[in-house]
Amino acid sequence: MITKDIKFAKEILLNDDLVAIPTETVYGLAGNAFSEIAIKKIFHLKQRPFYNPLIVHLKSASSVFEIAAEIPDSAKKLMEEFWPGPLTLVLKKQDHISDLITAGKSTVAVRVPSHPMTLALLNELDFPLTAPSANPFGSISPTNATHVHDYFGNKIDAILDGGQCEKGLESTIIGFEGNQPILYRLGAISTEEIEAKIGKLVFHRNNNTSPNAPGMLSRHYAPKTSTYLSNNVAEYIKQFEGKKIGVLVFKEPIQNDNLIIQEVLSTSGNFMEAAKNLYAAMHRLDQHHLDLIVIEELPNTDLGKTINDKLVRATKKE
Ligand code: TXA
Ligand code: MG
């Protein structure tokens, strides 16, 4: 059920059951990070493979000392700058952190979310919450409570309704080799903002069979409808005459009377606004029983880079 009752959510969590939580990025499917029963329920409900590790959500930066064994100086700088907020750090883990959370790795992903409802919930608990995005594995992330309900219905005892997610893109994930920061996943904080604080990032390369950050799997964030990416949508759709087409564009609507639906992310061309609207627009398009969806590539700077990265994974390769 969809609720705003934090005490109710707490009772469910104390019982090793799951609660969907709002964060500033996307909604999470949360359980007690110290309960293997709860962690297993997350993997089961999400149909997530066990090789894909989870993020631990903390109530404050100081709690990181209960989870991580080592904190490089550049990680400390990032925590000071960006927590609470949409930044996940991959750090050496302490022994007591479950191998289920970390997929057997020696590192654990942590962040302090900034949504007031989830912070209030975390402050009621004496354990952190582990939570992947609250969508079935591989599908579009949820950015409001209804998205979560559409996916899971009453299989989740409580969906905490914190409104529409402020950022609308997942957290940026940074790990370290020594003090060298490594970018594992593009996200709601741009690489430009992070590099301004700690210098050049190295982009982590991985492969699909043993991904270090499966947000980087080549197919992810995907609508059920066949979806294509193009840098010239008006031209591209001409080849699909007679089909039921929906389009998603950055700022300029295209002129075509045959479109079933057109979503514009930000008429002023603002990346943050576009990010906030992106997944909800994709959810709406996916509900229209279209033959295909065509999405416009964004300019490849700033959050445009993150959005394009998600779009490439959401769409078909030609
Ligand atoms: O914004 C977010 O990060 C949202 C909200 C709910 O916090 N969560 C989220 O979780 O996007 P999820 O499970 O969909 O993505 C977590 C990503 C995965 O790509 C996973 O591989 C990576 O974090 N990850 C987790 N632990 C890791 C580790 N030890 N090393 C490398 N990557 C890790
Ligand atoms: Mg996810």
Side-chain angles (χ1 to χ4, degrees):
M1 88 188 224
I2 297 182
T3 174
K4 293 184 195 291
D5 188 344
I6 289 174
K7 291 268 172 2
F8 177 55
K10 175 183 175 179
E11 291 310 313
I12 293 168
L13 291 164
L14 287 173
N15 210 19
D16 293 323
D17 282 323
L18 310 183
V19 171
I21 53 167
T23 84
E24 73 282 24
T25 60
V26 301
Y27 276 68
L29 179 59
N32 177 350
F34 296 158
S35 158
E36 295 229 329
I37 298 171
I39 301 165
K40 282 185 187 151
K41 286 181 182 168
I42 293 174
F43 279 95
H44 179 72
L45 189 57
K46 216 184 130 94
Q47 297 192 308
R48 179 175 177 113
F50 281 105
Y51 65 71
N52 191 349
L54 304 176
I55 297 172
V56 175
H57 295 69
L58 309 172
K59 65 180 163 202
S60 67
S62 56
S63 319
V64 78
F65 300 105
E66 292 154 31
I67 308 290
E70 273 172 40
I71 305 173
D73 286 344
S74 46
K76 286 184 189 143
K77 274 194 198 156
L78 292 176
M79 286 176 197
E80 267 168 34
E81 183 67 24
F82 296 110
W83 280 1
L87 175 76
T88 295
L89 298 174
V90 174
L91 302 169
K92 277 251 148 19
K93 81 174 186 99
Q94 290 184 17
D95 288 344
H96 69 96
I97 303 299
S98 165
D99 282 339
L100 287 172
I101 289 185
T102 65
K105 291 176 195 293
S106 59
T107 53
V108 60
V110 285
R111 83 179 190 96
V112 181
S114 71
H115 195 291
M117 193 179 257
T118 289
L119 282 175
L121 174 63
L122 282 165
N123 275 299
E124 289 276 327
L125 303 170
D126 58 8
F127 48 81
L129 290 174
T130 191
S133 52
N135 52 279
F137 185 63
S139 52
I140 309 167
S141 296
T143 52
N144 64 39
T146 309
H147 293 158
V148 181
H149 193 265
D150 288 348
Y151 279 137
F152 296 109
N154 292 327
K155 288 186 189 150
I156 305 176
D157 295 325
I159 299 171
L160 272 183
D161 187 355
Q164 188 191 347
C165 299
E166 191 53 42
K167 301 288 180 191
L169 293 171
E170 291 80 356
S171 59
T172 305
I173 305 182
I174 306 282
F176 301 89
E177 273 166 25
N179 202 36
Q180 169 65 56
I182 315 281
L183 177 71
Y184 281 101
R185 179 175 74 181
L186 290 161
I189 301 177
S190 69
T191 52
E192 288 89 337
E193 281 175 275
I194 290 170
E195 288 183 334
K197 290 292 157 205
I198 54 166
K200 206 77 195 138
L201 289 170
V202 174
F203 193 82
H204 184 263
R205 301 260 157 235
N206 63 37
N207 59 53
N208 268 345
T209 49
S210 175
N212 254 325
M216 298 308 241
L217 284 171
S218 60
R219 189 148 172 83
H220 218 83
Y221 315 105
K224 293 191 196 75
T225 314
S226 297
T227 303
Y228 301 86
L229 190 61
S230 168
N231 52 23
N232 187 344
V233 175
E235 224 12 72
Y236 187 85
I237 58 176
K238 285 185 183 160
Q239 60 183 308
F240 298 107
E241 212 177 303
K243 298 265 187 213
K244 286 194 281 181
I245 304 174
V247 302
L248 186 155
V249 296
F250 178 34
K251 57 180 177 178
E252 303 273 354
I254 60 168
Q255 305 303 324
N256 186 317
D257 296 339
N258 299 323
L259 294 176
I260 307 283
I261 165 174
Q262 168 152 225
E263 294 279 351
V264 182
L265 291 179
S266 168
T267 48
S268 61
N270 179 292
F271 283 133
M272 297 219 289
E273 187 183 21
K276 187 172 176 176
N277 291 329
L278 178 71
Y279 290 146
M282 287 167 68
H283 279 282
R284 282 193 295 273
L285 284 161
D286 210 15
Q287 281 165 359
H288 264 76
H289 306 288
L290 301 164
D291 294 323
L292 69 149
I293 299 170
V294 182
I295 305 186
E296 180 180 41
E297 254 182 271
L298 270 67
N300 212 36
T301 60
D302 213 323
L303 287 186
K305 217 163 36 169
T306 301
I307 295 173
N308 286 339
D309 180 76
K310 309 288 175 195
L311 292 177
V312 167
R313 293 166 209 285
T315 54
K316 296 216 157 158
K317 306 281 172 309
E318 304 247 348

